[in-house]
Structure formats: structure tokens, C-alpha cells
Amino acid sequence: MITIDAHSHLWLRQDTSWDGKPIRSLKNGRSIFLGEEVQMMPPFIIDSQNSAEVFLSNMDYAQVGAAVVVQEFIDGLQNDYLETVQRQYPERFFCCGMADYRQPDFLAQAEELILQRGFRGMAIPGHRLLGKPLTGDEMMQMFRLMEQRDVVLSITLEDGDRQVDELSEVISECPRLKIAIGHLGMANPPQTPCWENPSWRRQIALAQNPNVMIEMGGITWLYNAEFYPFPSAIRAIREVGDIAGYDKLMWGSDYPRTITAITYRMSYDFILKSSQLSDADKRLILGENAQRFYGFTNLPDLPYIKNMSE
């Protein structure tokens, strides 16, 4: 089975702030996050470097052939490191660039990332744009450039449907722009089921458009209170399948933050072992859709390596 992670993160150091509060790498996998010390990564990553090489070791062990690397403001701009990663491991990683969309001149940054530095995707943490519209002049110019250059848009929208109309306008203006909507539309935790939320369903319905996909990065975080095997997450996945089709859904781990609670393999194993999804749908979700959408080729053959304790 082809397995591709459609939502992950890499950095050598976090050194930024959000809402006036610091985010800084410490040691032993910990970070200062919005003024609080948290376990950002597993404690055995003692230098707190979330490197491509450590991720590749996890990927090889879990038999994950390739990964899409996105960006988030809370990690700081990681374009320099991700450009290096893309150059070193072109068949294992699809790295997204990110401009500082909060700045008035971000279009020049985006043009450099696409035209000069060769990023094949651009990430937008739409839920952190602080009210800046997706349909502003600079945004639309960037989207048209991305459509022309076949650059993928990886975007996370705000909870609910506040940005749905804006993204619908982008889709209408740039119908060939490939879009991956993140975090399963920010599905609600099990206490407030997303499938009962009309605004969540509107966000998922955007994937009924030909070039729009849904990826589930962080789904094990969204349902962490329920924990493995995440039955409500499976229910949410089935709802997306009913609304948009299983050919529009991609697994994503949100590595490395999610593997402080579970192993990397567990972040997809609950899908693989579910009796509520067909084998054909599992193949689509876990890799075939992402391979088609992102254009991965020459994936490695990763045999299963037995654990010593088995």
C-alpha cells in the first residue's frame, strides 16, 4: 500500500512569537509556546531539532514513502531550511513555502519563493490571518501566479464557514489552482460532533470542486481526548467521504507535534485497522490520492521491519 503523509512540519529551531507571546525551542523536545513550557516533540529529540533526517527515520520505520511539509506562523518562517530539504530529498518531500502574509509587501516574498526558489507549494495558515481577506489584491495576484505555475495551495481555514465564501471566490477566479484544505476542516472534538455542524459541512463541501482536496493533518490531535483508535475521527472521515468522496481525502499526521501522545505509525494505523472503511477507500486516503494530487514519483520500497519485542 502506498502511504504518503499530506501534512507535516520541519524546523531546526523555533524562534518567533504569536499574539505578543514567545515561541522558542528549548531542549529535550520542549519549547516555550505562548509563554508556557510544553513538550513540543518526543523527549528523546534532545537537541529539539525537528530535522528531515529524524523524520525520514520515522517515515522509513512506519513505511511512509513521502511527506508534504507545510508551514505555520507559530513555527516561524522556515523557507531557508525547507529549500535545503527539498533539494536534498526531492523524492521524499514536497515542501511548501510561506510568505509573511501579515505584511503589506508579502507578494514580493511569494514571487521570490515561487519564481526564484522553486517551491512547488505555498502554505497559508488562514486561521491566523487576523481578519486579512483571502480575496485581497495581493492574495489574488499570488493565487493567479500559483495557478499559472501549477503551485499547490495548502491552506487551513478558520473554524466553521467564515472564510468559505472567500475561498469559494478564489476557486471561481482560479479554477485550475490546486487547493488542499487542512486539518479536516478543523473538525470539532467528539464532545461537539462536526457532522452536526452545518458550517463545518460547508467547508468540507468545497472539495466538491474539481481541484480541491481535504487533508486530515492533526486529526489525532483534534480527537486526542478520545484517544486511539479514535472512533469519532473515523466517523468524521466517513462524513467527508459522504460529502466530497473518498477520492478527495488525504491522510496527514501533523508530525511532530502529534507524536508526543502516540507513535508515528499510530497516526495512520487507526485508519488501516478500521472495519468501517473499505480497503479501496483506505488505499485512496492513505496514499493514492496524495500521490496523484502532489505528483510523487519514484517512491521507495520500504519493507516492514519487525520490532525486537514481537
Side-chain angles (χ1 to χ4, degrees):
M1 180 180 292
I2 296 169
T3 309
I4 295 172
D5 189 339
H7 187 118
S8 65
H9 300 273
L10 291 174
W11 63 77
L12 292 184
R13 181 170 179 79
Q14 293 175 310
D15 187 7
T16 187
S17 63
W18 181 256
D19 196 24
K21 298 177 181 178
I23 302 167
R24 301 281 187 275
S25 294
L26 300 175
K27 61 180 182 179
N28 300 336
R30 297 181 182 180
S31 293
I32 294 295
F33 182 69
L34 305 180
E36 177 185 12
E37 185 171 337
V38 300
Q39 194 70 47
M40 185 68 67
M41 296 179 287
F44 51 77
I45 304 181
I46 58 175
D47 61 3
S48 292
Q49 291 193 356
N50 175 29
S51 69
E53 288 73 23
V54 171
F55 190 20
L56 281 169
S57 181
N58 274 282
M59 290 166 63
D60 289 352
Y61 170 74
Q63 298 174 281
V64 174
V68 179
V69 183
V70 302
Q71 296 196 55
E72 238 276 24
F73 286 141
I74 61 172
D75 298 324
L77 295 176
Q78 300 293 333
N79 295 311
D80 291 345
Y81 181 52
L82 294 188
E83 184 179 8
T84 300
V85 170
Q86 187 70 82
R87 185 170 57 250
Q88 289 181 324
Y89 308 106
E91 295 178 352
R92 300 299 299 274
F93 292 115
F94 182 106
C95 295
C96 294
M98 185 173 72
D100 191 346
Y101 309 107
R102 301 161 296 182
Q103 301 300 318
D105 60 346
F106 75 83
L107 180 60
Q109 300 176 41
E111 289 174 339
E112 179 187 359
L113 293 169
I114 295 168
L115 298 177
Q116 299 178 35
R117 301 176 68 173
F119 280 97
R120 296 177 292 163
M122 291 291 289
I124 297 181
H127 58 313
R128 300 191 196 275
L129 290 180
L130 305 175
K132 194 166 190 172
L134 296 172
T135 52
D137 289 342
E138 280 195 302
M139 280 288 190
M140 293 306 299
Q141 289 182 62
M142 184 181 75
F143 294 146
R144 292 187 185 100
L145 174 63
M146 292 171 64
E147 183 184 36
Q148 293 167 6
R149 296 282 176 159
D150 196 28
V151 173
V152 176
L153 170 62
S154 174
I155 186 167
T156 297
L157 299 180
E158 292 182 9
D159 292 12
D161 62 357
R162 195 198 71 79
Q163 293 174 308
V164 166
D165 289 340
E166 292 180 6
L167 191 57
S168 294
E169 184 175 337
V170 173
I171 294 167
S172 178
E173 289 288 321
C174 304
R176 292 182 292 104
L177 176 63
K178 298 169 71 173
I179 301 172
I181 298 173
H183 293 302
L184 207 75
M186 293 301 283
N188 305 92
Q191 294 82 0
T192 53
C194 58
W195 48 87
E196 296 178 2
N197 184 341
S199 61
W200 177 81
R201 299 179 71 87
R202 280 195 71 213
Q203 187 174 150
I204 297 302
L206 288 170
Q208 294 172 354
N209 290 283
N211 292 315
V212 182
M213 304 286 284
I214 303 292
E215 49 93 338
M216 63 179 78
I219 191 170
T220 61
W221 156 62
L222 293 167
Y223 292 96
N224 182 63
E226 192 174 67
F227 205 64
Y228 191 92
F230 309 106
S232 293
I234 294 293
R235 173 69 187 276
I237 289 169
R238 294 179 63 195
E239 290 292 328
V240 174
D242 289 344
I243 295 169
Y246 287 105
D247 62 331
K248 291 303 194 80
L249 184 56
M250 303 181 291
W251 164 70
S253 69
D254 209 10
Y255 176 99
R257 286 181 264 268
T258 49
I259 63 166
T260 56
I262 59 174
T263 67
Y264 184 51
R265 187 188 293 274
M266 288 170 70
S267 67
Y268 74 81
D269 191 60
F270 76 100
I271 297 172
L272 191 63
K273 292 182 177 176
S274 173
S275 62
Q276 300 183 50
L277 298 166
S278 72
D279 288 345
D281 291 337
K282 291 174 185 177
R283 287 194 294 271
L284 290 173
I285 293 168
L286 292 177
E288 291 180 3
N289 290 335
Q291 182 182 35
R292 166 179 52 83
F293 187 72
Y294 290 101
F296 284 107
T297 58
N298 300 319
L299 296 173
D301 180 20
L302 299 171
Y304 178 74
I305 303 299
K306 185 177 73 171
N307 290 328
M308 184 275 288
S309 56
E310 290 182 58

